[in-house]
């Protein structure tokens, strides 16, 4: 909870008393490896904060899972909260046992309406989420697999060797064999 509190305080629009009130609305969850956050008992829309562990978002297309992101710390922001568009059906799953905090945004709606600080904070969290999505989009547009791996390694070094090779290969849009070759080359340079 301390890390969440510090993260919220570090955001530009916040004031200490507002953050203390907001952090008390989050509920701590321990999510076992392989468990979906969707089954945690919190209905959509929910803002999550991963304090420790490893969590992955993926989409199922034609019955095949496609990982879209992996984080070991930070916010997981729901899409489509304020628009009429339904969000894509995203599966959020713990890859390792993880400590996660959940804030049901329907519960927080009254506080968001009454506090410009909370609204600004939520906008900053959404902005951070959009920035991360743009980084992933740019990563996947890189035509060279080795470049994709190196950018991922630079930006997410803390998760690089904690992720199953099959998941990482799908995330980086390359074959598992190619990933092994690139990883080996990467390790030899270190």
């Amino acid at each position: 909870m301390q890390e969440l509190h510090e993260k919220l305080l570090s955001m530009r629009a916040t004031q200490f008393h507002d953050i203390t009130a907001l952090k008390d609305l989050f509920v701590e969850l321990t999510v076992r490896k392989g468990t979906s956050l969707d089954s945690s008992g919190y209905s959509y829309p929910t803002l999550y904060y991963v304090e420790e562990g490893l969590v992955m978002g993926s989409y199922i297309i034609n019955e095949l899972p496609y990982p879209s992101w992996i984080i070991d710390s930070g916010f997981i922001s729901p899409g489509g909260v304020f628009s009429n568009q339904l969000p894509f059906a995203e599966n959020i799953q713990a890859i390792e046992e993880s400590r996660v905090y959940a804030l049901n945004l329907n519960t927080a709606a009254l506080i968001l309406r009454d506090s410009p600080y909370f609204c600004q904070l939520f906008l900053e969290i959404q902005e951070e989420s959009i920035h991360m999505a743009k980084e992933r989009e740019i990563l996947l547009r890189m035509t060279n697999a080795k470049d994709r791996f190196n950018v991922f390694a630079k930006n997410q070094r803390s998760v690089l060797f904690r992720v199953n090779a099959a998941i990482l290969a799908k995330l980086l849009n390359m074959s598992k064999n190619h990933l092994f070759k690139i990883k080996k080359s990467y390790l030899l340079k270190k």
Side-chain angles (χ1 to χ4, degrees):
M1 182 62 92
Q2 183 62 32
E3 184 180 309
L4 170 62
H5 189 90
E6 289 170 6
K7 176 68 175 176
L8 291 170
L9 277 173
S10 72
M11 299 184 116
R12 293 172 292 184
T14 58
Q15 293 185 351
F16 183 78
H17 65 280
D18 289 323
I19 291 309
T20 301
L22 181 63
K23 83 171 176 60
D24 291 340
L25 294 176
F26 280 85
V27 176
E28 182 177 348
L29 307 170
T30 300
V31 186
R32 292 189 325 264
K33 179 180 179 176
T35 303
S36 173
L37 266 66
D38 301 337
S39 64
S40 64
Y42 286 84
S43 61
Y44 177 83
T46 302
L47 174 68
Y48 294 103
Y49 181 78
V50 178
E51 188 167 80
E52 66 180 31
L54 201 57
V55 177
M56 172 182 74
S58 63
Y59 298 94
I60 307 294
I61 302 171
N62 296 329
E63 299 181 22
L64 294 172
Y66 290 92
S68 59
W69 53 264
I70 296 173
I71 62 169
D72 61 351
S73 175
F75 286 102
I76 302 170
S77 183
V81 175
F82 298 110
S83 70
N84 292 332
Q85 294 180 357
L86 292 175
F88 291 107
E90 182 176 35
N91 179 37
I92 303 171
Q93 184 179 41
I95 297 176
E96 297 176 352
E97 184 169 306
S98 302
R99 184 170 42 242
V100 178
Y101 294 91
L103 172 64
N104 183 296
L105 293 177
N106 291 326
T107 303
L110 293 173
I111 295 172
L112 283 169
R113 267 189 236 132
D114 294 339
S115 173
Y117 295 109
F118 288 154
C119 287
Q120 178 70 30
L121 177 64
F122 187 73
L123 287 172
E124 288 179 34
I125 291 168
Q126 290 296 98
E127 187 177 79
E128 183 178 299
S129 178
I130 291 168
H131 178 77
M132 289 170 52
K134 289 287 185 193
E135 284 182 350
R136 287 191 304 271
E137 180 183 346
I138 291 167
L139 177 80
L140 291 176
R141 289 181 184 272
M142 294 177 173
T143 56
N144 185 301
K146 189 174 183 179
D147 291 343
R148 286 194 302 276
F149 179 87
N150 288 333
V151 168
F152 184 85
K154 179 182 174 195
N155 294 339
Q156 292 195 269
R157 183 162 176 71
S158 63
V159 303
L160 185 62
F161 296 101
R162 294 165 53 194
V163 177
N164 172 304
I167 292 172
L168 186 58
K170 269 191 171 179
L171 180 70
L172 296 176
N173 194 24
M174 64 180 74
S175 73
K176 221 167 48 167
N177 289 340
H178 201 66
L179 174 66
F180 285 129
K181 289 176 187 175
I182 293 171
K183 248 185 176 180
K184 184 177 178 181
S185 171
Y186 176 82
L187 289 171
L188 291 174
K189 284 195 298 184
K190 294 293 171 188

